[in-house]
Amino acid sequence: MTAMRATAPDLEHELAAIVGAGHVRVDAGARTVYGRDATPQYQGVPDAVVLPESAEQVAAVLRLAGERGVPVVPRGSGTNLSAATVPQAGGIVLALTRMDRLMELDRENLVAVCQPGVTTARLVAAAAEHNLLYPPDPGSRTTATIGGNVSTCAGGLRGLKYGVTRDYVLGAEVVLASGEIIRCGGRVMKDVAGYDLVRLLCGSEGTLGVITELTLRLVPAPEDAGTGLAYFDTLAAAGRAVSRVLAGGVLPATLEFLDRTTVRTVEDFAHVGLDTDAGAVLIFGQDGTPETVARDMERIAEACRAEGANDVTVASSHDEAEAILEARRAALPSLSRLAPMTILEDATVPRARLAEMVERIEAIAARHDLVIGTFGHAGDGNLHPTCVVDPGDGDAIERVHHAFAEIFEAALEMGGTITGEHGIGLAKLPFLEARLGAAQVALLRRIKAAFDPAGILNPGKLGS
Ligand SMILES: Cc1cc2nc3c(=O)[nH]c(=O)nc-3n(C[C@H](O)[C@H](O)[C@H](O)COP(=O)(O)OP(=O)(O)OC[C@H]3O[C@@H](n4cnc5c(N)ncnc54)[C@H](O)[C@@H]3O)c2cc1C
């Protein structure tokens, strides 16, 4: 950036003229809170926090920022786990949470139209009232926003059967760094007019534009759903069961795993009745017509038994199903109780290599003398190795960094990736070239420069 940064009082005054004085925060409290997100160890300090209410206000803020060369970091609820909203270069944090109108649920076209600040859970609940489903289901759904979900291409518990956020984005209104407002895609199911900018925006982490409206695809809500749980002596056996389920022609709605460390920790914390002697737990689910659910749940249970599951339970009531799902939902909060700092990653491998990857992670944890519990989306090959550590122990933190570098290396060696759903942010930028290669990173930079020549949008992150 070539222009001089505005002084804070000038900037505050001009921003207030755009969004109203009550929606510009420069107090120390706001600058601290909006200087971080859900990623430990990263903290920036913005000059101002701005909460616009319309695309026109966003455009005016971006024009001003462009003139002054001030960085702008778009932000939803700040729940991302890759330091993607940390304003390490200062500037403006543009929080989209006031733009939370759910404008339309179009039952004929099966679409929803909303502003970016709507939470995932609110959209899911509104769709359910019309007997429709918005499938992406991140664990953070009660807090995270749709704008954040699209910008990180969030996944969740239904990824195996239903895909991830990008599979549900049909159109977007976007404010470019220049202040121009464009609309890409729309309510149509087919559209090949030009490059697919909607897809490009998915996972762009606030570096290409600010999303101010979204048109999202919905599907008819399934009539019925089933949930079950299987215990295995080893994660290798659970991994083989996953392959057997899929090879048998069943595509479960949910296929999640917990490793031994996570099972014990969850039971200590959440008391959901897990067998703490288990080497691994597989949580499975199916939805559809009652007949499909009954047939597939039995087939999944059979596949688990065939691979040596010691015990397989299929929930017979809503409460039992909720208790099983609670075991998965409690994984992260339970592990977090073991030490003051929790570092969660999301290396992803081809699903047939899941068990091998968990073994590699266990060996890496032992070599670095660290506690790492691993859980995740077995059906997607998406693992969340979670390391718990004392932030005051500099030596342990150093070992954590080495361990995660080795975990990413192992994932890449297996034909996997450094992040399946949490994104690059600041946290994984050092590993991006190993994943993409130099030529592709250079292409990303040229794409970024085409959208944002002055580099004001979320600088120092993807594409910088
Ligand atoms: C307990 C917990 C569980 C989680 N579970 C999951 C999970 O199951 N699956 C999963 O994928 N993730 C999960 N996450 C991570 C996180 O919730 C997701 O990344 C989520 O999509 C972030 O949404 P947000 O509104 O908090 O966005 P933020 O964290 O505020 O922003 C994320 C990124 O999007 C950009 N951005 C936000 N809004 C806009 C906008 N309107 N225009 C342009 N850019 C924008 C930001 O600049 C940033 O780069 C979890 C996090 C926690 C804390």
Side-chain angles (χ1 to χ4, degrees):
M1 263 170 285
T2 49
M4 288 291 290
R5 294 270 297 278
T7 60
D10 285 347
L11 189 64
E12 181 186 354
H13 181 72
E14 292 183 71
L15 291 168
I18 298 169
V19 295
H23 304 301
V24 180
R25 302 271 308 268
V26 294
D27 54 288
R31 292 170 68 217
T32 304
V33 169
Y34 286 87
R36 55 184 312 159
D37 51 34
T39 326
Q41 291 187 290
Y42 292 87
Q43 171 85 56
V45 186
D47 297 304
V49 178
V50 178
L51 294 106
E53 67 169 359
S54 67
E56 289 69 28
Q57 288 187 356
V58 171
V61 170
L62 290 190
R63 276 195 299 271
L64 173 65
E67 281 162 21
R68 302 297 176 86
V70 175
V72 177
V73 181
R75 177 175 167 120
S77 293
T79 66
N80 77 85
L81 294 162
S82 61
T85 52
V86 171
Q88 88 290 357
I92 297 165
V93 166
L94 192 66
L96 281 308
T97 41
R98 278 180 74 218
M99 293 183 62
D100 66 348
R101 280 174 51 225
L102 179 47
M103 279 91 84
E104 207 182 331
L105 275 166
D106 174 350
R107 295 178 66 184
E108 273 182 37
N109 286 303
L110 295 178
V111 300
V113 181
C114 68
Q115 290 187 313
V118 171
T119 63
T120 325
R122 202 176 128 212
L123 176 66
V124 169
E129 278 176 27
H130 296 274
N131 215 17
L132 296 169
L133 176 69
Y134 175 69
D137 183 33
S140 51
R141 64 193 174 284
T142 53
T143 312
T145 64
I146 290 294
N149 288 177
V150 172
S151 304
T152 54
C153 191
L157 264 59
R158 299 197 187 102
L160 173 61
K161 179 170 176 178
Y162 288 102
V164 294
T165 301
R166 76 157 71 85
D167 300 307
Y168 295 89
V169 188
L170 292 173
E173 178 189 74
V174 186
V175 184
L176 301 178
S178 59
E180 292 161 288
I181 302 177
I182 62 163
R183 282 186 168 269
C184 12
R187 208 167 292 227
V188 286
M189 292 297 133
K190 291 170 137 185
D191 187 357
V192 289
Y195 295 134
D196 192 344
L197 297 186
V198 175
R199 277 239 159 182
L200 186 56
L201 285 165
C202 292
S204 63
E205 300 184 12
T207 60
L208 300 182
V210 180
I211 298 167
T212 46
E213 188 187 293
L214 286 155
T215 303
L216 301 160
R217 188 165 75 87
L218 306 173
V219 297
E223 273 176 64
D224 196 12
T227 304
L229 176 145
Y231 291 105
F232 295 86
D233 285 337
T234 63
L235 211 115
R240 284 195 303 272
V242 169
S243 300
R244 185 179 275 264
V245 168
L246 299 172
V250 178
L251 194 59
T254 300
L255 206 45
E256 299 286 308
F257 77 96
L258 311 178
D259 75 350
R260 185 188 300 274
T261 305
T262 311
V263 170
R264 289 184 183 169
T265 314
V266 165
E267 191 48 34
D268 276 355
F269 169 55
H271 309 298
V272 285
L274 293 178
D275 174 0
T276 50
D277 289 334
V281 161
L282 207 57
I283 293 171
F284 52 91
Q286 181 59 300
D287 60 15
T289 62
E291 299 75 33
T292 308
V293 171
R295 185 200 61 203
D296 285 358
M297 291 299 285
E298 186 43 43
R299 284 190 187 169
I300 300 168
E302 261 172 37
C304 290
R305 285 188 205 103
E307 291 298 345
N310 303 318
D311 191 13
V312 184
T313 310
V314 173
S316 55
S317 67
H318 177 75
D319 286 352
E320 265 181 55
E322 277 304 300
I324 291 175
L325 290 173
E326 185 52 29
R328 169 63 179 85
R329 292 189 194 120
L332 178 56
S334 304
L335 287 164
S336 308
R337 286 175 71 247
L338 295 178
M341 190 192 281
T342 311
I343 304 173
L344 174 133
E345 279 303 345
D346 78 325
T348 303
V349 293
R351 64 170 79 95
R353 304 191 75 174
L354 184 85
E356 190 186 342
M357 183 65 194
V358 173
E359 277 165 17
R360 295 277 291 266
I361 292 171
E362 282 170 357
I364 291 168
R367 198 162 53 248
H368 291 283
D369 192 20
L370 293 168
V371 177
I372 299 184
T374 304
F375 59 93
H377 315 291
D380 305 336
N382 185 188
L383 305 101
H384 293 313
T386 303
C387 188
V388 287
V389 68
D390 176 356
D393 184 344
D395 178 57
I397 296 285
E398 187 70 11
R399 282 183 277 126
V400 172
H401 289 310
H402 287 301
F404 276 119
E406 287 175 28
I407 287 172
F408 295 142
E409 208 178 299
L412 292 176
E413 267 173 37
M414 289 186 199
T417 184
I418 55 176
T419 171
E421 56 180 20
H422 292 166
I424 296 297
L426 287 175
K428 265 163 285 181
L429 209 50
F431 306 98
L432 188 62
E433 192 163 322
R435 168 69 180 116
L436 299 182
Q440 209 178 144
V441 168
L443 178 60
L444 254 56
R445 289 196 178 120
R446 293 198 295 275
I447 292 171
K448 161 77 175 169
F451 274 79
D452 177 18
I456 59 164
L457 279 171
N458 214 354
K461 313 263 179 36
L462 208 51
S464 296

